[in-house]
Amino acid sequence: MAANRPLVAGNWKMNGLAAALAELKALQERLAEHPAPEADIMVFPPATLLAQARYALRGSDILLGAQDCHIAASGAHTGDLSAEMLADVGASAVIVGHSERRADHAETDALVKAKASAAHRAGLTAIVCIGETAEERRDGAALEVVGRQLKGSLPDRARASDTVIAYEPVWAIGTGLTPTPEDVAEMHGFIRRELGLLAESAEAWALRILYGGSVKPGNAGELLSVPNVDGALVGGASLKAADFYAIASIYAGNTRRR
Ligand code: PEP
């Protein structure tokens, strides 16, 4: 992945049987037929489909990622997958700290940081998710919460080439609700400044910061042209090749602004 390009990442979550691989083929066909967007395109199918997805994507520029990893490289952790296993099956990135895992599995910032470090150990890019709940935003605590999550979840020596931040307001995920472009600009600008302060490496300030939460073809243009938005983490709309391609097509011309 080139760190200076936008990234459009599709998180399939716990969706997709083998038949869903047809959507990957359809996505490949669209990318082949139309001018390729000036963005990295990455898909995160469920772990059960990674091996088949790798096969389906051979010869394609579409990158493969996984949705979670364990902190250990191997061992007695029934049902878990290590970052090394994900690299072995062809993933080049892994999502860590998605709000659904923070909520469903009580994942803490410290655990998310350890998972991001495990990703680096295995040579994977860590996509580190952070974002406030509706209540936290209502209480005026969004910046404070996101700042705390960023500080606690950012792996040591994060570099633009191995770490991506995904700002995903929890209340916007899967709800059809989105923040205003002004709110997105405020939050992404804040994250950018915080990265500059937290950075241990000179290039950490340049980490890509994705926006995630109800990104659809109809709102992608507005949300993704906000300064400091370096792409999108897309859930529901990534399940259909046509919608996901339409979102990535925002970058068909160079619309990136910082
Ligand atoms: C997500 O799960 O990361 C996400 C952003 O979901 P959705 O696009 O469906 O809101």
Side-chain angles (χ1 to χ4, degrees), residues 189-214:
F190 169 73
I191 293 170
R192 178 76 63 212
R193 286 192 299 280
E194 289 296 297
L195 283 172
L197 297 175
L198 293 170
E200 288 179 6
S201 74
E203 54 158 321
W205 69 271
L207 262 57
R208 284 180 287 189
I209 308 171
L210 310 185
Y211 168 76
S214 295

Side-chain angles (χ1 to χ4, degrees), residues 40-128:
D40 291 330
I41 312 282
M42 184 171 268
V43 289
F44 296 77
T48 47
L49 291 182
L50 284 173
Q52 291 173 80
R54 177 194 199 170
Y55 183 72
L57 293 176
R58 67 196 185 287
S60 140
D61 290 334
I62 302 170
L63 297 159
L64 189 61
Q67 298 175 17
D68 180 51
C69 68
H70 195 274
I71 61 173
S74 62
H77 302 289
T78 303
D80 281 315
L81 296 170
S82 71
E84 281 75 3
M85 290 169 170
L86 301 173
D88 189 48
V89 78
S92 55
V94 61
I95 297 170
V96 294
H98 191 283
S99 64
E100 287 152 12
R101 292 207 60 88
R102 289 179 186 261
D104 295 354
H105 301 272
E107 294 197 357
T108 61
D109 290 334
L111 180 64
V112 174
K113 176 177 177 173
K115 289 185 174 199
S117 300
H120 290 172
R121 182 188 66 221
L124 300 180
T125 295
I127 315 278
V128 180

Side-chain angles (χ1 to χ4, degrees), residues 11 13 98 100 168 172-174 212-215 233-236:
N11 173 18
K13 313 192 187 195
H98 191 283
E100 287 152 12
E168 298 204 303
I173 295 179
S214 295
V215 177
L233 182 52
V234 184

